[in-house]
Amino acid sequence: MPNPLASLLLDAGRQDPDKVFLRIPQGETWTYADLDRVSAQMAHALLALGVLPGDRVAVQTGKSPTVLALHVACVRAGAVYLPMNTAYTEREVTDLIDDAQPSLIVSDEPPSRDVPHTTLDELARSAQSRSASFDDVARQGSDPAAILYTSGTTGRPKGAVMSHANLVFSARTLADAWGFTSADVLLHSLPLFHTHGLFVAAYCSITTGGSMVMLDSFHPDLVVDALPSSTVMMGVPTHYTRLLAHPAFTSEVAKGVRLFASGSAPMLVATHEEVTRVTGSTILERYGMTETCMLTSNPLNGARKPGTVGPPLPGVQVRLVDGTPGSVEVTGPNVFEGYWRRPELQSTEFTPDGWFKTGDLGRFDEDGYLEIVGRSKDLVITGGLNVYPKEVESVLDALPGVLESAVVGLPDPDFGEAVTAAVVATSGSTLDPEELRRLAREHLAAFKVPKRIHVLPALPRNAMGKVEKARLRETLQPSGR
Ligand code: AMP
């Protein structure tokens, strides 16, 4: 029976069933035969629990090979996989359940709503006695395969519905663009509930029959230990800054790594250059989002430019509208068709000709490489003039003693919004906000210079290393306004 995504996830492994699919350092090792068998048994177990094709299966668990097998089982059973961030509180989980109406929840704790529930262990145990072969439920390309709730949502959650066709196209495109083969060993230290860890990292490996070294989470000591036996590492920018602070991150441990990739948040040019200096490898930075999978990538062969996310991937179209920098709009077989049961968002989130509005601002350089300038909602309008936070952040980051910075607009009676910065000092440095303002003035027009600079011990970041500007605004907003 045709099931486009199940075929993609199983075919490569079936060429060499005894090949290592996944290894946990000092832990278990799974072959591709194990993945095939356990996912078939779990698909039977899902059916036995009453899961029907098209039903949502919500999953909130730690990272493990078993949860990857559960993902594949959902795909095989024709169910819609709904991974949830492990950091979500009971209230957030309840909101998602109310929105997605799953027919099964797999999580450690029983949910507050009356929905069938099991733990991953119970499901895996009950699956063990079931048949190791399963007739994959037929699906069309347009059928939903997963719903991912977008990170940093405020108000009612929005579930991005990813179809079989979206995920198949994305996996093929990325594996091809980044030269994945069955000889690759991917160092996997990203969460599995986010598109980066699941549909980018894990899919590149599974769909080409490669092996993965799986770490529970990003831990610099464990990453440095695993690097010598890996050929590819995918991370978020903070992973690389943390590695750079580790004395054992050297060209020697990195010498077998053919590709270091980064995405999910902007990488500082300084970090990019430092990784090259330390390892001799140039990071490949790419850009995408939950709703669209990956959109652009620096090339595997050819110039990888720090501060850019490369040209559009094959088959993906990216355009900029409304000036320079412009709003980034995209279309392609990787781009989702809409949010779960939110028809009213079609007209606000898509253009009349069907392109998705990413909410990012960017510009193309002379070689067609995209530079992401920030989120349009983070644009600061001060005294009627536009200030792009990234421009100010780049200036602040380059000042002596500044490790990193984030710029937001805060309400101001005179200017509408006041450019406001948070800076973090490098270890051992003391920062004087007035001196930073004076130095910034040498590089920026007066209206772009932050009216206030706050020195913080760290910037608020989410699980993917993105600076949470909404939280930062709350922290910086002086009381009484
Ligand atoms: P998410 O849906 O959680 O993956 O977040 C997607 C957003 O992350 C994008 O809309 C961008 O704002 C940001 N993003 C992803 N990759 C990059 C990158 N390489 N550089 C700058 N921003 C990025």
Side-chain angles (χ1 to χ4, degrees):
M1 286 272 199
N3 177 317
L5 190 55
S7 304
L8 184 82
L9 292 170
L10 295 164
D11 284 356
R14 284 178 178 158
Q15 308 288 313
D16 191 358
D18 295 330
K19 172 96 191 279
V20 171
F21 150 60
L22 188 154
R23 178 173 72 75
I24 296 179
Q26 273 93 50
E28 46 186 332
T29 295
W30 284 44
T31 62
Y32 273 99
D34 293 331
L35 177 66
D36 203 338
R37 174 178 47 81
V38 177
S39 62
Q41 292 172 324
M42 282 186 142
H44 285 294
L46 291 173
L47 261 50
L49 286 167
V51 173
L52 298 171
D55 280 359
R56 277 76 57 214
V57 174
V59 179
Q60 189 185 38
T61 67
K63 200 176 161 182
S64 69
T66 312
V67 79
L68 264 181
L70 172 59
H71 167 61
V72 178
C74 286
V75 173
R76 300 183 74 172
V80 181
Y81 186 70
L82 195 167
M84 292 190 285
N85 192 321
T86 43
Y88 283 157
T89 59
E90 189 179 315
R91 186 193 55 76
E92 287 164 316
V93 170
T94 305
D95 283 350
L96 296 202
I97 294 173
D98 289 346
D99 195 63
Q101 312 226 306
S103 61
L104 178 68
I105 297 176
V106 183
S107 63
D108 296 343
E109 300 296 324
S112 57
R113 293 285 191 253
D114 185 19
V115 178
H117 168 258
T118 180
T119 65
L120 186 61
D121 282 352
E122 270 166 23
L123 185 68
R125 250 195 319 276
S126 80
Q128 273 169 7
S129 56
R130 299 183 187 275
S131 166
S133 71
F134 182 82
D135 269 342
D136 299 340
V137 172
R139 297 277 86 186
Q140 313 262 326
S142 57
D143 283 330
I147 299 181
L148 264 59
Y149 280 83
T150 52
S151 61
T153 50
T154 48
R156 202 174 141 198
K158 287 188 294 187
V161 182
M162 306 312 295
S163 69
H164 279 246
N166 292 148
L167 298 178
V168 168
F169 176 84
S170 162
R172 288 216 174 102
T173 305
L174 294 182
D176 192 43
W178 298 339
F180 267 82
T181 70
S182 59
D184 275 312
V185 180
L186 172 75
L187 176 47
H188 195 299
S189 60
L190 292 156
L192 281 173
F193 52 74
H194 187 269
T195 191
H196 192 170
L198 186 58
F199 300 139
V200 180
Y203 269 35
C204 274
S205 185
I206 299 177
T207 61
T208 52
S211 300
M212 268 186 268
V213 177
M214 185 186 266
L215 304 180
D216 199 29
S217 63
F218 183 86
H219 193 294
D221 288 335
L222 301 181
V223 170
V224 162
D225 284 349
L227 273 177
S229 54
S230 308
T231 64
V232 179
M233 174 179 148
M234 291 190 194
V236 299
T238 37
H239 291 173
Y240 291 100
T241 46
R242 290 175 67 193
L243 277 178
L244 286 169
H246 197 290
F249 184 56
T250 60
S251 61
E252 188 53 30
V253 292
K255 75 171 186 250
V257 179
R258 69 169 183 85
L259 181 63
F260 284 102
S262 177
S264 285
M267 171 165 270
L268 294 179
V269 170
T271 310
H272 204 289
E273 290 172 351
E274 190 62 4
V275 170
T276 309
R277 197 187 60 74
V278 169
T279 65
S281 278
T282 309
I283 290 208
L284 178 150
E285 188 172 359
R286 91 298 175 285
Y287 155 72
M289 57 195 308
T290 302
E291 290 89 335
T292 63
C293 302
M294 296 305 101
L295 296 163
T296 70
S297 172
N298 272 279
L300 183 65
N301 304 307
R304 299 181 195 160
K305 297 195 206 174
T308 80
V309 293
L313 283 157
V316 179
Q317 286 174 271
V318 177
R319 72 183 179 197
L320 302 177
V321 297
D322 301 334
T324 313
S327 301
V328 179
E329 296 181 349
V330 298
T331 187
N334 48 308
V335 177
F336 80 141
E337 284 186 7
Y339 293 101
W340 175 251
R341 292 188 179 157
R342 300 291 293 275
E344 76 282 9
L345 295 177
Q346 292 304 115
S347 58
T348 53
E349 308 297 305
F350 290 84
T351 64
D353 59 346
W355 292 52
F356 177 61
K357 303 179 192 172
T358 64
D360 289 313
L361 294 169
R363 61 179 148 239
F364 282 112
D365 75 4
E366 62 288 359
D367 297 320
Y369 284 44
L370 186 65
E371 184 196 338
I372 298 295
V373 178
R375 303 281 302 158
S376 53
K377 68 176 171 17
D378 293 331
L379 176 73
V380 185
I381 305 179
T382 184
L385 298 167
N386 288 355
V387 177
Y388 297 94
K390 190 176 172 197
E391 186 187 357
V392 183
E393 289 159 5
S394 304
V395 167
L396 293 175
D397 291 340
L399 296 180
V402 176
L403 179 67
E404 55 180 1
S405 65
V407 167
V408 293
L410 292 184
D412 182 278
D414 293 334
F415 298 99
E417 281 188 307
V419 179
T420 310
V423 291
V424 178
T426 52
S427 105
S429 309
T430 311
L431 295 175
D432 171 5
E434 276 318 304
E435 176 64 3
L436 292 178
R437 291 184 70 237
R438 193 187 63 75
L439 293 170
R441 179 72 190 88
E442 291 172 15
H443 305 275
L444 292 168
F447 72 95
K448 297 180 185 171
V449 176
K451 298 279 178 296
R452 263 170 240 101
I453 297 185
H454 301 258
V455 181
L456 299 186
L459 298 177
R461 290 183 188 276
N462 70 9
M464 301 310 292
K466 269 194 252 291
V467 175
E468 295 178 298
K469 294 221 163 163
R471 253 174 75 200
L472 183 63
R473 271 187 213 103
E474 281 165 29
T475 312
L476 301 182
Q477 181 88 57
S479 55
R481 280 256 169 86

